[in-house]
Amino acid sequence: VDMTIIVEEGRRYRMGKLNVRSATGEEKDLFFRAEFLKAIFPLRPGDIFNVTRIRKSLEDYRKLYSSVGFINCTTVPETEIDDEHRIIDLTLELDTGKQFFVRRIEFLGNTSTRDKVIRREVLLDEGAVFNSRSWEMSVLRLNQLGYFEELKPEDAEVQQNAAKGTVDLALKVKERGRNTIGLTGGVSGLAGSFLGLNYQTNNFLGLGETLT
């Protein structure tokens, strides 16, 4: 079956003015200055209006705010279209929500590894502003230790208490085999037969120390 698809491109629009405002109407509630938020936006006046890049920028704003504790920040884009001049003005309305702090950090499943060995890889402290990027990096650092099975996103829980503006963090780990035993042997013309035993652990007594 022959099929013809007719595509009508329409007119190309360009980026016009960018406005950034708080959902409350108070610029102080943006946390970051509006000029800074405009500066990191990927499009400039006159650029081709690119919806994909705008969506990416909204995700970047979310990550930026979650790095300083505003983990429920939302950004709503509003457009004003000038068909005559083919320009689209864009307004970004940010609702930062509440800033969250770390209340408690706990570890589950570490039957051999001491809590302090895990805690020293966590880039967050109890009482500090919650930083989602630091939390992600903490999981990466723990995976690089090799003491546990690979941690997945569902193993790193973030429980919110919206009323108090706090989060409880829980890491669920699964210990992996950390001991290596090797047997060597042979025959020497001078010393006769010999037998050797090698033992190595990278987490001696759960302290994160290597013993050979």
Side-chain angles (χ1 to χ4, degrees), residues 15-20 37-38 41 43 61 89-92:
M15 180 72 188
K17 297 178 182 178
L18 173 66
N19 181 42
V20 178
L37 296 173
K38 290 180 183 179
F41 190 75
L43 299 182
Y61 281 130
D89 292 336
L90 181 65
T91 297
L92 301 178

Side-chain angles (χ1 to χ4, degrees), residues 15-84:
M15 180 72 188
K17 297 178 182 178
L18 173 66
N19 181 42
V20 178
R21 70 188 183 203
S22 169
T24 65
E26 298 288 337
E27 184 171 350
K28 63 180 178 62
D29 292 334
L30 284 174
F31 189 81
F32 297 103
R33 295 185 62 179
E35 292 305 315
F36 167 72
L37 296 173
K38 290 180 183 179
I40 63 176
F41 190 75
L43 299 182
R44 296 290 177 264
D47 289 348
I48 300 298
F49 196 85
N50 188 316
V51 175
T52 300
R53 294 184 68 185
I54 291 174
R55 287 175 178 166
K56 172 67 166 53
S57 73
L58 300 185
E59 176 62 15
D60 290 341
Y61 281 130
R62 186 194 67 78
K63 291 180 180 179
L64 173 66
Y65 273 91
S66 66
S67 71
V68 289
F70 296 96
I71 56 181
N72 295 324
C73 178
T74 58
T75 305
V76 178
E78 299 177 0
T79 57
E80 185 175 337
I81 302 174
D82 182 342
D83 287 319
E84 181 180 353

Side-chain angles (χ1 to χ4, degrees), residues 121-170:
E121 301 299 327
V122 176
L123 303 176
L124 288 167
D125 294 315
E126 292 167 347
V129 172
F130 176 69
N131 184 325
S132 60
R133 178 59 179 162
S134 293
W135 185 233
E136 292 171 0
M137 287 298 297
S138 300
V139 174
L140 178 61
R141 285 161 60 99
L142 285 167
N143 279 335
Q144 291 175 338
L145 286 178
Y147 301 161
F148 313 107
E149 299 294 336
E150 182 180 359
L151 288 164
K152 299 178 181 179
E154 58 267 26
D155 298 322
E157 293 184 354
V158 179
Q159 297 181 346
Q160 298 183 26
N161 185 323
K164 295 182 178 180
T166 61
V167 293
D168 290 337
L169 308 178

Side-chain angles (χ1 to χ4, degrees), residues 74-110:
T74 58
T75 305
V76 178
E78 299 177 0
T79 57
E80 185 175 337
I81 302 174
D82 182 342
D83 287 319
E84 181 180 353
H85 299 95
R86 302 180 189 177
I87 290 175
I88 300 178
D89 292 336
L90 181 65
T91 297
L92 301 178
E93 184 174 278
L94 281 80
D95 185 352
T96 62
K98 183 174 291 187
Q99 190 176 34
F100 284 77
F101 293 79
V102 179
R103 186 180 79 94
R104 184 175 60 187
I105 304 174
E106 63 178 346
F107 313 109
L108 307 171
N110 53 315

Side-chain angles (χ1 to χ4, degrees), residues 145-211:
L145 286 178
Y147 301 161
F148 313 107
E149 299 294 336
E150 182 180 359
L151 288 164
K152 299 178 181 179
E154 58 267 26
D155 298 322
E157 293 184 354
V158 179
Q159 297 181 346
Q160 298 183 26
N161 185 323
K164 295 182 178 180
T166 61
V167 293
D168 290 337
L169 308 178
L171 277 170
K172 297 180 179 179
V173 300
K174 183 178 180 181
E175 303 270 7
R176 65 166 31 161
R178 60 186 185 277
N179 301 327
T180 302
I181 298 176
L183 186 65
T184 60
V187 177
S188 169
L190 296 177
S193 61
F194 64 90
L195 186 67
L197 181 68
N198 300 322
Y199 169 78
Q200 179 174 330
T201 176
N202 65 348
N203 193 8
F204 181 61
L205 298 179
L207 298 172
E209 303 293 343
T210 298
L211 174 68

